[in-house]
Amino acid sequence: MKGRMSKGSWRSTALLLAGLMGVTLLSAGPSWAVHGATPGDFNGDGYRDAVLPAPGADVAGRAGAGAVVVLYGSKSGLSAARRTTITQNSAGVPSSAEAGDAFGTATATADLNRDGYADLVVSAPYEDTAEGRNFGLVAVLWGSKGGLTTATQLPLPADTPSHADGARFGLDLAALSLGGGPKERVVVAGTDGTVSFNGPFSRTGTYGTRSVAQNTPSVASVTLGDFNGNATPSQALATVGLSDLSGGAVYAYPEYGDHPLKGNGFIAASGDVNGDGFADLVVGDPAEPHVAGVDGASGGRVLVWYGGSAGIAQDAEPVQITQNTAGVPGVSEKNDAFGGALAVADLNRDGLADIVVGTPYEGVAGKNRSGEVTVIPGRRSGALGAGSYSFSQFTAGVGGGNETDDFFGTTVSVGDVNNDGRPELFVGASGENNLTGAVWVFPGGASGPTAKGSRVFNAASVDLTQKSGTLLGGNGLHELI
């Protein structure tokens, strides 16, 4: 592949894109925060708890030190009154809150030590360490009857190439537990590649093995899935933008080779979209193409590679979905950023994973970049797109007010927090209220999430009171697209 983007040069590209699109970026703070954790039952009460990252939160006077807000699930759902806020100043959390650490940039949930309590993995990619400036830190907060009360640090490799802007380990995270030992896995992404930790894990900080993969350009997003049905998590990833592509290169099994798949994008997720028992790889490619029809689609696209008994074939042609695909609401328009956020989960309980797509720059009801989220149902056969539906702040029953530069759909995630078997949909909007951010919760219904009864948690409602830049819900791909 020619013209690879040099590691550490992502920010100039992001600033250029933002200038062209009229988007204001933070002068300091997280570069991107691709994935947010799905809800997990951290205290073992039978209800999953929601994770609201706030990587721009000020802590004890340290600007942008970062925080994570956990809202505890219950039969009645979520309440701001039932919450805990975790920072690096919290008892037991590694290091301490420092300006610009961006603790909470990426989060991931899994029961890593198989004790029946979900555990939370949290990154601070701008943590300065003995290894260098902006080297990064990743902590595991261990679930227990009392919740997330203890934590240990995952040891990141010091023998990685040195960059003036740091390795920034923890720009994205993925965690998956499909069984004991090597079937438990955490992958940490950064500008120097990925670091994989395999089980068995223990709450004292021990783990099975660690490996480093540096066969790709800087990594923007990583996911884990059982693509070949062997009940062992495999990683796939998307890199930062490259000079000869609209987005980044996409790799399946990057630890085994240096050959990208056909297609490109910035954010990766996995789930069984066609119900055949194998995880499928789904990638969001929200940037405008360099060459129309060759390396992207105007307005953005989502690509799907189907798994199988042999995994994902190197030469497989992905299925492409855009807002012009039959059944998908809306129309593809330049700079919509369809595919700017991504989650794959079964929302309607039909045994098929659905694709949740954020379009944070979509104009709705005359408000530029107010944002929208689209759900594309999984299908056992036939073309994806039929039965798709969308939510925005203009949708009846959705609060908050549809405003310019809200970026509704910056982040998306799915999880059942009231244990009724109907998963809730979580949508972040990083631009809401002067970039303090907000997260909407759409209750699960008989056939999927519904706007009726939806709730919004803004930064002030969870006692994060700074006037700007909190980024409750995470910053998503905002600075890459």
Side-chain angles (χ1 to χ4, degrees):
M1 179 180 293
K2 65 179 181 179
R4 282 188 173 178
M5 180 179 181
S6 62
K7 296 178 182 177
S9 62
W10 60 270
R11 187 168 177 81
S12 61
T13 301
L15 290 169
L16 174 61
L17 285 171
L20 291 174
M21 299 173 71
V23 177
T24 301
L25 295 181
L26 299 177
S27 58
S31 54
W32 64 87
V34 176
H35 283 131
T38 59
D41 186 1
F42 303 123
N43 59 2
D45 65 354
Y47 298 96
R48 295 181 182 180
D49 312 311
V51 180
L52 278 57
D58 299 344
V59 179
R62 273 73 172 179
V68 173
V69 178
V70 176
L71 301 179
Y72 291 105
S74 70
K75 185 177 182 179
S76 59
L78 302 173
S79 167
R82 297 190 303 272
R83 72 175 190 273
T84 186
T85 300
I86 301 168
T87 74
Q88 287 183 280
N89 282 352
S90 299
V93 177
S95 190
S96 60
E98 300 163 317
D101 280 352
F103 180 77
T105 286
T107 52
T109 306
D111 182 3
L112 293 175
N113 60 348
R114 311 285 293 174
D115 64 352
Y117 299 98
D119 308 307
L120 180 64
V121 189
V122 184
S123 74
Y126 299 96
E127 176 84 17
D128 294 340
T129 72
E131 286 73 26
R133 178 177 176 270
N134 293 337
F135 185 81
L137 176 148
V138 176
V140 180
L141 281 57
W142 298 100
S144 69
K145 187 176 181 179
L148 300 169
T149 57
T150 62
T152 57
Q153 185 173 337
L154 289 176
L156 298 167
D159 56 346
T160 55
S162 176
H163 301 291
D165 203 20
R168 298 197 294 276
F169 282 119
L171 286 172
D172 197 27
L173 297 170
L176 187 61
S177 180
L178 298 177
K183 298 181 186 297
E184 305 156 0
R185 195 172 189 188
V186 175
V187 178
V188 179
T191 59
D192 282 330
T194 61
V195 185
S196 296
F197 297 87
N198 296 322
F201 292 91
S202 78
R203 64 186 304 113
T204 63
T206 63
Y207 58 92
T209 61
R210 183 186 71 179
S211 61
V212 182
Q214 296 174 295
N215 299 320
T216 73
S218 300
V219 180
S221 172
V222 65
T223 189
L224 287 166
D226 182 9
F227 302 117
N228 61 4
N230 68 353
T232 300
S234 296
Q235 69 166 300
L237 61 83
T239 75
V240 296
L242 306 181
S243 62
D244 53 353
L245 293 174
S246 60
V250 178
Y251 293 80
Y253 318 108
E255 60 268 54
Y256 300 125
D258 192 22
H259 303 290
L261 299 173
K262 295 180 179 180
N264 52 281
F266 281 134
I267 181 169
S270 65
D272 189 359
V273 175
N274 61 355
D276 63 355
F278 302 100
D280 308 309
L281 174 61
V282 185
V283 169
D285 184 22
E288 291 299 305
H290 288 176
V291 181
V294 175
D295 68 335
S298 185
R301 64 179 180 171
V302 169
L303 301 177
V304 181
W305 290 264
Y306 289 106
S309 59
I312 296 172
Q314 188 71 51
D315 59 351
E317 292 285 350
V319 173
Q320 175 176 286
I321 307 167
T322 72
Q323 287 181 289
N324 288 340
T325 297
V328 177
V331 176
S332 295
E333 299 166 311
K334 189 175 182 180
N335 295 330
D336 278 350
F338 180 80
L342 200 62
V344 182
D346 185 1
L347 284 162
N348 59 359
R349 301 171 298 155
D350 64 353
L352 306 172
D354 309 309
I355 303 171
V356 184
V357 183
T359 313
Y361 294 166
E362 175 79 23
V364 178
K367 304 297 184 181
N368 293 333
R369 298 176 299 278
S370 54
E372 185 177 65
V373 168
T374 300
V375 178
I376 302 167
R379 293 176 60 89
R380 295 188 188 278
S381 61
L384 292 169
S388 298
Y389 53 95
S390 295
F391 297 107
S392 72
Q393 290 186 78
F394 193 68
T395 301
V398 178
N402 185 62
E403 300 167 316
T404 297
D405 289 341
D406 275 350
F407 310 121
F408 182 87
T410 301
T411 57
V412 292
S413 61
V414 174
D416 180 8
V417 294
N418 60 358
N419 202 24
D420 65 354
R422 300 174 176 182
E424 278 69 49
L425 170 63
F426 295 78
V427 178
S430 63
E432 182 77 12
N433 297 335
N434 199 27
L435 295 174
T436 57
V439 176
W440 281 256
V441 184
F442 293 82
S447 58
T450 174
K452 183 179 180 180
S454 62
R455 298 188 57 194
V456 58
F457 294 91
N458 59 28
S461 73
V462 293
D463 203 29
L464 298 175
T465 58
Q466 69 197 64
K467 301 301 183 183
S468 66
T470 314
L471 299 173
L472 184 70
N475 203 28
L477 290 174
H478 188 62
E479 290 192 26
L480 281 181
I481 58 177

